[in-house]
Amino acid sequence: MTGGEVAGILVAVFWAILVSFLAVVLVRLAQTLKATTKLVADVTEQAVPLLADASATVRSAQTQLDRVDSIASDVQEVTSNASALSTTVASTFGGPLVKVAAFGYGVRKALGGRGRQDAPSAAERRTVIVGRTLPSARRRKQKG
């Protein structure tokens, strides 16, 4: 065997090893692609019903929000009606009630004040100095 033939056999052996290695890699890649395809198919099968359920849930939530919105608008209407009623009652009965109370107070003062003098007696009067009230005994000492 010549050197060229040995080199050719070595190249052929390395080529066979390379082809075998690439064949193994391709087989494993094919298995991975099959598993990935199956996984995607399974996810698709499960995702479609989940999306349908999610869509139904969103529709139900929208219905509930519409109901809450109508309830909120009704509460707002009731609140404005109550406010208007309160204002009406206050304006209708408030003025006359204040007048009746003032009249009653005036009558009590008029009937209760007949037996008394309006001015306080000299013993009841106090002198205020720098924001303090002094008893009458100290007041006489300061005036003298």
Side-chain angles (χ1 to χ4, degrees), residues 120-129 132-137 139:
S121 66
E124 292 176 358
R125 287 190 221 156
R126 300 197 182 261
T127 305
V128 177
I129 299 176
R132 293 180 19 190
T133 303
L134 297 176
S136 57
R139 191 172 1 130

Side-chain angles (χ1 to χ4, degrees), residues 17-51:
I17 292 173
L18 180 65
V19 168
S20 300
F21 177 74
L22 288 176
V24 170
V25 168
L26 287 175
V27 167
R28 291 200 178 175
L29 183 63
Q31 290 173 349
T32 304
L33 286 175
K34 283 182 186 178
T36 305
T37 303
K38 183 180 177 190
L39 180 67
V40 168
D42 290 344
V43 167
T44 302
E45 285 178 17
Q46 293 176 1
V48 171
L50 286 175
L51 288 175

Side-chain angles (χ1 to χ4, degrees), residues 3 30 46 55-56 65 73 88 99 109 116 144:
Q46 293 176 1
S55 177
L65 284 174
S73 65
T88 302
K99 289 177 183 176
K109 277 299 227 182
R116 292 188 292 163

